[in-house]
Amino acid sequence: MVSDEIIRVLMVNDLDSIKSLMLTKNDLEILSWIDGEGETPASALAMRNGVTVVNASTKLKKLFDQGYLNRTLRSSKSGGDEYLYHSKNYQR
């Protein structure tokens, strides 16, 4: 557990790092949805949220980079590769 004092020091000295880990309401909704789905490609999130695949992919990559999601690479039906994103607790 991180103490309040450590958090205060980080907020004063490294606010950009703290901000980079914060989640928006949309981020939390996405994480909850993925937790219920098990695993999902960016295209499924794009269809669900009515956004482009690029937008959904960027959002999922951000959550992956922040450490909130895992991902695995698979061959897509179109012949290319795509990532499947899943929660840290996901078990195949």
Side-chain angles (χ1 to χ4, degrees):
M1 184 80 129
V2 178
S3 74
D4 289 346
E5 182 61 30
I6 292 173
I7 292 172
R8 278 193 281 283
V9 169
L10 284 172
M11 288 180 73
V12 169
N13 295 326
D14 201 3
L15 187 57
D16 289 336
S17 291
I18 296 293
K19 284 181 180 179
S20 74
L21 296 175
M22 294 176 67
L23 296 171
T24 66
K25 181 180 176 187
N26 187 46
D27 293 339
L28 292 171
E29 288 172 359
I30 290 169
L31 291 172
S32 177
W33 178 72
I34 289 175
D35 208 28
E37 290 293 307
E39 62 183 356
T40 188
S43 58
L45 178 64
M47 286 191 324
R48 176 188 181 269
N49 287 4
V51 298
T52 66
V53 174
V54 171
N55 180 289
S57 180
T58 300
K59 175 58 78 173
L60 291 170
K61 172 84 165 59
K62 176 185 163 248
L63 292 169
F64 168 76
D65 288 343
Q66 289 176 309
Y68 293 107
L69 292 175
N70 287 333
R71 68 183 186 181
T72 54
L73 188 62
R74 75 164 186 187
S75 296
S76 71
K77 295 174 186 172
S78 65
D81 290 330
E82 69 181 346
Y83 286 105
L84 290 177
Y85 289 88
H86 45 92
S87 71
K88 294 283 188 171
N89 300 324
Y90 176 71
Q91 299 289 322
R92 282 184 176 224

